[in-house]
């Protein structure tokens, strides 16, 4: 099996995922994913697409991720892994789609507007 690559994005994070046959190792930016994401629910984000299609110990995954914070990076990687699994087999699509792992979450930070301190916050209003 050749290397399958996919792209995942979330907020300001971009994850490039490379999937190949192997023993189930997940490497994120040169580190083990449990070292890179010490928080359990972020580790779950990376493991869950593989558990859904019952492929935990089937593929080695190499990830390069840039931008954003830890949560955005973890969700970008999840999308990338899910897309790569669908490229391997169309049979993987229904369970991943049911959990909404193939949906790109388009919510990003709203831009700051002029005359305001933040995007929507206003300065204190004085009637008199």
């Amino acid at each position: 099996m050749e290397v399958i690559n996919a792209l995942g994005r979330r907020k300001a994070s971009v994850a490039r995922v490379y999937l190949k046959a192997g023993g189930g190792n997940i490497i994120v930016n040169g580190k083990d994913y449990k070292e890179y994401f010490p928080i359990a629910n972020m580790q779950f984000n990376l493991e869950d697409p593989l558990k859904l299609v019952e492929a935990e110990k089937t593929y080695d995954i190499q990830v390069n991720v840039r931008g954003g914070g830890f949560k955005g990076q973890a969700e970008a990687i999840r999308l990338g892994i899910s897309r790569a699994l669908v490229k391997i087999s169309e049979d993987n699509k229904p369970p991943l789609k049911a959990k909404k792992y193939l949906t790109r979450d388009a919510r990003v930070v709203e831009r700051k507007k002029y005359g305001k301190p933040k995007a929507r916050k206003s300065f204190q209003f004085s009637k008199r």
Side-chain angles (χ1 to χ4, degrees):
M1 177 186 150
E2 75 283 355
V3 176
I4 305 288
N5 66 323
L7 191 72
R9 290 192 180 99
R10 171 75 170 102
K11 293 186 177 180
S13 303
V14 179
R16 291 174 296 169
V17 177
Y18 302 95
L19 208 111
K20 63 182 177 185
N25 298 324
I26 303 176
I27 307 296
V28 180
N29 289 351
K31 296 180 181 177
D32 184 59
Y33 77 104
K34 290 187 177 179
E35 188 182 338
Y36 193 82
F37 295 112
I39 300 164
N41 66 337
M42 292 185 191
Q43 293 173 11
F44 175 78
N45 272 340
L46 275 61
E47 297 163 351
D48 203 38
L50 296 165
K51 286 181 183 166
L52 276 176
V53 299
E54 294 160 2
E56 299 100 335
K57 302 286 183 203
T58 314
Y59 303 110
D60 280 343
I61 301 172
Q62 177 78 40
V63 181
N64 295 326
V65 64
R66 298 183 66 166
F70 283 119
K71 185 170 170 51
Q73 286 186 351
E75 292 182 11
I77 294 169
R78 182 181 70 192
L79 176 62
I81 290 172
S82 301
R83 284 179 172 174
L85 289 169
V86 170
K87 276 186 182 179
I88 288 171
S89 171
E90 282 292 319
D91 299 337
N92 296 335
K93 194 169 184 175
L96 292 169
K97 195 169 175 123
K99 280 269 215 152
K100 295 191 171 52
Y101 286 169
L102 294 173
T103 305
R104 164 41 165 127
D105 193 346
R107 295 175 296 172
V108 293
V109 177
E110 192 174 339
R111 79 170 196 88
K112 183 195 173 300
K113 308 328 184 278
Y114 58 86
K116 296 196 172 244
K118 290 166 74 178
R120 296 186 181 209
K121 186 177 183 179
S122 298
F123 294 108
Q124 185 171 344
F125 178 71
S126 172
K127 204 172 213 177
R128 284 174 196 86

